[in-house]
């Protein structure tokens, strides 16, 4: 019979240190890397018929073996990996018993990380996201005394029902369970609308005047303070976050060699490689409003505090975010770190920038950006944009600049009218 190799493992089969599954004579076995046996090819027979369900179980055994190879704990005698059935082919009677053992939650949690990163690049940010999913899934089943039980619909239903409908906890639990089940191709049908009803706490975003006032507050140090320069560093960090709409920890990912140059409009470059990955990757961001670059003296970085604690901050990105939030609370700034990012998004629209450009600068998809920030739009924000575009139209209609031809003026006027039509439609949608 023709040998069949797992499609998932085909790309890894030539890589040193990677085991793989293949079908031989109608039964499954694991092909072990040659370097484990001084260049000799060895196989581990699994005693499983070549069926779809058995391939899933073979992949679980592959995970166990590959983990041991990666951590130099591989048992070259293979005794550790031999099936309890002594390699006999599974019968219908033994299949159900082994399938129950395969779905023990304790083992699934142990294998979760390897399966999660099969299809994802491993960075500091993706590791943090995985850690969150694992924590949520573990917490969801804490109502059981231990995790040595077969995962069934009954227990999953119970885990979800223990969270209140319409809460962030319910939404977070369902979201992480979806990821967990997908990694194991576990079939569970979530009820329609099971995670709906949650509404994030309403934010009252600061005005630009309040942001400037907060920037002044966060820099204040007592005359007896032994950490001279810290206030200036926090002030500069807050200014950058507000002017470029960054997440707090992204301050650590700024490429200073390329950023804040006058000949490139003082744009900022986020380089995810500096911190081992960010939520939305490397990107270019523009200052809004442009005048804040000069007001806050952003082009002259004040990074004494960041440089002093660079290593611990890079080791734990949350530490910087937490310190920044603490500083804002301690100095009674009056709003939260992420309010600065949200205000950047709204300010950009008020200044007339297109949503797709703002989404790109902030590292969002257009859909995500719209859904995230639409609820922060106020009547005043819409009015600001609408009146600004009307004013622009009037300027174009009365302009007498001889350097522009009639056709050029007509083109500009057409574009202005198109934008006004877009804003009118948007205003109607908002009001409805």
């Amino acid at each position: 019979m023709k040998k069949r190799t797992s499609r998932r493992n085909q790309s890894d089969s030539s890589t040193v240190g990677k085991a793989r599954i293949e079908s031989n004579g109608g039964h499954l076995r694991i092909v072990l890397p040659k370097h484990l046996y001084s260049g000799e090819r060895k196989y581990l027979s699994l005693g499983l018929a070549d069926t779809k369900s058995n391939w899933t179980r073979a992949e679980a055994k592959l995970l166990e073996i590959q983990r041991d190879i990666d951590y130099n704990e591989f048992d070259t005698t293979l005794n550790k990996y031999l099936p309890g059935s002594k390699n006999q082919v599974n019968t219908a009677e033994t299949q159900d018993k082994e399938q129950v053992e395969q779905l023990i939650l304790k083992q699934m949690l142990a294998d979760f990380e390897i399966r999660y990163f099969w299809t994802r690049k491993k960075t500091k940010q993706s590791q943090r996201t995985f850690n969150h999913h694992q924590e949520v899934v573990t917490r969801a089943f804490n109502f059981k005394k231990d995790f040595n039980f077969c995962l069934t619909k009954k227990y999953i239903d119970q885990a979800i029902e223990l969270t209140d409908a319409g809460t962030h906890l319910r939404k977070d639990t369902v979201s992480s369970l979806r990821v967990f089940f997908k990694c194991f191709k576990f079939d569970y049908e979530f009820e329609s609308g099971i995670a709906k009803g949650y509404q994030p706490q309403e934010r009252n975003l600061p005005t630009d005047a309040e942001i400037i006032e907060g920037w002044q507050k966060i820099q204040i140090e007592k005359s007896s303070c032994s950490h001279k320069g810290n206030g200036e560093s926090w002030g500069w960090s807050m200014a950058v976050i507000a002017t470029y709409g960054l997440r707090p920890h992204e301050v650590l990912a700024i490429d200073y060699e390329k950023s804040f140059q006058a000949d490139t409009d003082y744009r900022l470059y986020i380089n995810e490689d500096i911190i081992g990955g960010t939520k939305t990757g490397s990107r270019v961001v523009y200052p809004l409003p442009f005048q804040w670059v000069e007001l806050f003296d952003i082009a002259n970085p004040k990074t004494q505090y960041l440089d002093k604690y660079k290593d611990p901050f890079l080791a734990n990105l949350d530490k910087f975010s937490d310190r920044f939030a603490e500083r804002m609370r301690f100095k009674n700034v009056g709003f939260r770190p992420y309010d600065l990012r949200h205000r950047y998004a709204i300010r950009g629209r008020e200044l007339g920038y297109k949503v797709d450009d703002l989404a790109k600068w902030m590292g969002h998809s257009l859909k995500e950006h719209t859904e995230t920030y639409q609820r922060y739009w106020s009547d005043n924000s819409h009015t600001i944009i609408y009146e600004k575009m009307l004013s622009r139209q009037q300027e174009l209609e009365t302009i007498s600049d001889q350097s522009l031809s009639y056709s050029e003026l007509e083109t500009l006027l057409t574009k202005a009218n198109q934008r006004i039509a877009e804003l009118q439609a948007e205003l109607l949608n908002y009001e409805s």
Side-chain angles (χ1 to χ4, degrees):
M1 184 178 286
K2 199 173 183 180
K3 291 184 179 180
R4 182 160 65 95
T5 302
S6 167
R7 184 176 298 176
R8 174 178 289 144
N9 294 296
Q10 282 176 347
S11 60
D12 294 335
S13 61
S14 62
T15 305
V16 174
K18 294 292 184 182
R20 57 186 170 86
I21 303 167
E22 73 173 21
S23 176
N24 182 50
H27 300 96
L28 301 178
R29 66 183 182 182
I30 292 179
V31 183
L32 301 168
K34 288 184 177 181
H35 79 276
L36 296 173
Y37 297 95
S38 302
E40 184 181 353
R41 176 66 74 195
K42 292 280 188 178
Y43 304 91
L44 174 65
S45 177
L46 298 177
L48 298 173
D50 184 357
T51 65
K52 183 177 179 180
S53 61
N54 282 343
W55 269 85
T56 300
R57 298 163 64 203
E59 287 176 342
K61 179 62 69 176
L62 177 67
L63 281 171
E64 177 188 356
I65 291 173
Q66 190 60 55
R67 183 171 57 234
D68 283 357
I69 293 173
D70 292 342
Y71 289 93
N72 296 319
E73 296 175 355
F74 180 73
D75 178 10
T76 54
T77 69
L78 302 183
N79 291 331
K80 179 179 179 180
Y81 314 111
L82 293 176
S85 58
K86 298 182 181 179
N87 287 340
Q88 69 181 46
V89 176
N90 280 26
T91 63
E93 291 75 22
T94 61
Q95 178 87 9
D96 290 342
K97 179 180 178 182
E98 292 186 9
Q99 182 67 17
V100 169
E101 293 175 349
Q102 170 59 30
L103 298 177
I104 296 297
L105 181 61
K106 184 176 183 180
Q107 187 59 47
M108 293 173 75
L109 287 170
D111 293 340
F112 185 23
E113 183 168 5
I114 293 176
R115 285 181 176 264
Y116 183 83
F117 288 108
W118 261 350
T119 57
R120 296 171 176 86
K121 180 181 178 182
K122 196 166 188 176
T123 66
K124 285 185 178 180
Q125 181 60 44
S126 62
Q127 184 68 54
R128 291 168 69 200
T129 302
F130 164 77
N131 291 343
H132 175 73
H133 287 316
Q134 187 175 53
E135 180 182 339
V136 172
V137 172
T138 302
R139 182 184 62 211
F141 293 101
N142 270 342
F143 63 88
K144 296 286 290 181
K145 291 183 179 180
D146 58 55
F147 294 147
N148 287 311
F149 63 90
C150 177
L151 195 59
T152 63
K153 183 179 185 301
K154 173 186 174 182
Y155 291 132
I156 298 170
D157 289 345
Q158 189 173 350
I160 295 174
E161 289 167 2
L162 286 172
T163 63
D164 293 330
T167 62
H168 180 268
L169 180 59
R170 164 67 66 84
K171 183 179 180 181
D172 206 24
T173 299
V174 170
S175 176
S176 291
L177 287 176
R178 288 185 193 276
V179 173
F180 185 62
F181 296 158
K182 186 176 181 180
C183 286
F184 290 90
K185 300 178 183 176
F186 186 87
D187 187 20
Y188 176 82
E189 186 174 348
F190 290 91
E191 291 185 20
S192 177
I194 190 71
K196 289 185 177 180
Y198 168 68
Q199 291 293 333
Q201 182 180 356
E202 185 176 348
R203 290 177 184 263
N204 294 315
L205 299 183
T207 64
D208 288 352
E210 289 170 337
I211 290 175
I212 294 173
E213 183 181 350
W215 170 72
Q216 294 167 341
K217 288 181 178 180
I218 202 171
Q219 297 181 81
I220 298 174
E221 295 285 15
K222 294 179 179 179
S223 57
S224 60
C225 180
S226 60
H227 304 291
K228 191 172 181 62
N230 286 3
E232 195 175 48
S233 287
W234 284 125
W236 184 84
S237 297
M238 177 178 168
V240 171
I241 292 170
T243 307
Y244 293 88
L246 305 185
R247 300 176 181 88
H249 71 269
E250 289 178 334
V251 171
L252 304 172
I254 296 173
D255 186 334
Y256 289 99
E257 291 186 5
K258 298 172 65 177
S259 301
F260 313 127
Q261 304 298 319
D263 59 350
T264 57
D265 302 320
Y266 296 101
R267 68 188 65 167
L268 179 150
Y269 291 83
I270 294 292
N271 183 351
E272 66 172 333
D273 293 336
I274 295 175
I275 60 175
T278 66
K279 185 176 181 180
T280 50
S282 300
R283 65 184 192 279
V284 179
V285 194
Y286 291 84
L288 300 176
F290 184 81
Q291 293 82 355
W292 278 8
V293 173
E294 180 179 354
L295 176 65
F296 298 137
D297 196 25
I298 288 176
N300 295 304
K302 287 65 170 191
T303 59
Q304 303 96 310
Y305 183 75
L306 301 181
D307 295 338
K308 182 178 180 180
Y309 295 98
K310 181 178 180 180
D311 290 339
F313 283 157
L314 289 177
N316 183 355
L317 299 179
D318 286 334
K319 181 173 288 188
F320 175 78
S321 300
D322 292 343
R323 290 272 183 92
F324 182 56
E326 284 177 11
R327 179 78 182 193
M328 293 181 71
R329 287 194 300 269
F330 182 69
K331 294 300 179 180
N332 296 315
V333 169
F335 44 86
R336 295 171 291 181
Y338 263 79
D339 291 343
L340 298 171
R341 178 170 167 82
H342 295 329
R343 180 62 193 139
Y344 175 90
I346 303 305
R347 185 188 307 116
R349 293 293 285 120
E350 292 176 352
L351 292 173
Y353 291 93
K354 292 186 177 181
V355 178
D356 49 354
D357 289 330
L358 293 169
K360 183 167 60 176
W361 298 347
M362 298 185 73
H364 290 150
S365 66
L366 182 58
K367 181 176 183 293
E368 179 187 12
H369 185 87
T370 303
E371 291 178 350
T372 300
Y373 297 111
Q374 182 67 31
R375 62 177 175 271
Y376 298 123
W377 276 87
S378 64
D379 291 336
N380 186 54
S381 294
H382 283 278
T383 302
I384 288 173
I385 296 177
Y386 189 61
E387 291 181 348
K388 182 165 290 188
M389 293 306 298
L390 282 176
S391 175
R392 177 61 174 156
Q393 182 188 36
Q394 292 168 358
E395 289 176 11
L396 290 170
E397 289 174 342
T398 58
I399 193 168
S400 59
D401 188 344
Q402 298 301 315
S403 64
L404 293 177
S405 66
Y406 177 80
S407 61
E408 289 173 327
L409 288 172
E410 193 174 48
T411 299
L412 290 174
L413 183 58
T414 300
K415 288 182 178 179
N417 286 330
Q418 288 174 344
R419 283 295 292 137
I420 289 173
E422 291 173 4
L423 291 166
Q424 286 175 325
E426 186 175 319
L427 185 57
L428 288 173
N429 290 334
Y430 172 77
E431 291 174 342
S432 61

